[in-house]
Amino acid sequence: MLDVAVIEEPAAAEASLDPIRSRILAALAEPGSAAMVAGRLDLPRQKVNYHLKELERHGLVELAEERRKGNVTERIYRATAASYVISPSALAAVSPDPSRSPDQLSARWLLALGARLVQEVGALLTGASRARMRVSTFGIDAQVRFASAADRTAFADELTQAVAALVGRYHDESAPRGRTHRVVVALHQIPAAQPRDAAEHTEPRRPAATDTTEREAGQDEER
C-alpha cells in the first residue's frame, strides 16, 4: 500500500468523492471482504459489493487475496493507498494557472502554486510508478512566529533575496544534460484550530489583509 496516491482521472476523482465510497476506502486501510466492510460500516453487503467493484475499476482498491471457504471464494480487498490526493488535472479545463496573475502577496496565487505543485509532483509519481523508479524530491516544512507584520515583511524580503541568490548561483542554462527543477518557497499564517461545534455556529472572521506565503519547498523530477 502506498502512503499517498494521486488521482488524476476525472472518473476516479468522482468515485473517490462519493460519501459511501470514501468510507469504504478508509475502512480498507485494513484488508477485508465485502461482508467484513459491510459489518464495519453497518451497510448492506450488496451495496458495499457494488461500490467495491466501482472502486476497483478505477484503481482505488485492489484484490489482496482470495480465500476458499467450502464452495465459496471470499475476495479480500485493500485500498491501494493510505490516503489520496486529487490532482487539479482531474479538472483540467478549470485548474488554476499561477502564470495568469502572479502576485507574491495573493492568497489565491499561493493556492494556484500549490495546485500546480500537486499536479506536477502527481504526474512525476504516476510516471515513476509505471516505470518502477523513484522520484527525487526535496521539501522543507517549518513554522515561524513573527512579533509584527514588519518582521514578516522583512523575513519575506530576505527569503526572496536568498532564493534569488541561490538560483543565480546554481542555474546553468547551457548544461547539456541538465534537468530543470521548480522551486516553490512560501509562507502563510497557520489557521487557528476551532472546536467543531464552534466552527458550525460562529461567523467567519474577516481575513487579515494579505497573510500569504507558505513554507513548502523544492521538489522535482527524475527520469
Side-chain angles (χ1 to χ4, degrees):
M1 181 187 289
L2 299 171
D3 288 335
V4 181
V6 182
I7 299 173
E8 297 180 307
E9 295 297 323
E14 183 180 359
S16 71
L17 291 172
D18 178 274
I20 292 178
R21 292 175 190 171
S22 65
R23 290 177 64 199
I24 292 173
L25 280 177
L28 285 176
E30 179 185 341
S33 65
M36 293 164 68
V37 172
R40 292 172 193 169
L41 302 180
D42 194 24
L43 291 170
R45 178 178 172 174
Q46 264 190 324
K47 178 177 281 192
V48 169
N49 204 41
Y50 166 75
H51 288 300
L52 271 175
K53 288 178 181 176
E54 287 300 300
L55 289 169
E56 185 181 23
R57 187 162 69 90
H58 294 296
L60 300 174
V61 304
E62 61 188 4
L63 183 65
E65 61 174 308
E66 291 184 332
R67 299 173 183 168
R68 292 286 297 177
K69 289 189 174 181
N71 295 327
V72 177
T73 299
E74 186 179 45
R75 294 167 64 86
I76 305 298
Y77 293 93
R78 67 183 170 206
T80 52
S83 56
Y84 298 86
V85 173
I86 297 178
S87 170
S89 61
L91 293 168
V94 290
S95 62
D97 181 359
S99 65
R100 278 191 205 124
S101 53
D103 178 357
Q104 289 179 309
L105 299 179
S106 165
R108 288 178 177 80
W109 187 65
L110 181 58
L111 280 178
L113 283 180
R116 185 179 64 187
L117 187 152
V118 171
Q119 183 170 342
E120 292 182 344
V121 176
L124 287 172
L125 281 172
T126 300
S129 178
R130 288 173 184 156
R132 296 176 180 257
M133 295 174 65
R134 296 188 65 182
V135 179
S136 177
T137 63
F138 175 73
I140 296 175
D141 181 22
Q143 295 184 18
V144 55
R145 184 179 179 87
F146 296 109
S148 66
D151 283 353
R152 185 183 62 225
T153 300
F155 178 90
D157 289 342
E158 287 187 43
L159 187 59
T160 300
Q161 293 169 20
V163 171
L166 277 172
V167 170
R169 186 184 311 162
Y170 289 98
H171 180 68
D172 189 346
E173 192 68 44
S174 62
R177 299 185 62 187
R179 294 179 180 177
T180 302
H181 288 62
R182 191 184 302 284
V183 179
V184 177
V185 179
L187 166 77
H188 69 74
Q189 181 177 330
I190 300 173
Q194 285 189 347
R196 189 170 297 176
D197 293 344
E200 290 174 0
H201 299 294
T202 32
E203 294 183 3
R205 293 182 305 169
R206 182 180 299 175
T210 340
D211 270 358
T212 334
T213 344
E214 171 175 348
R215 229 18 216 154
E216 203 184 279
Q219 62 288 325
D220 259 14
E221 55 201 80
E222 171 163 316
R223 297 180 185 143

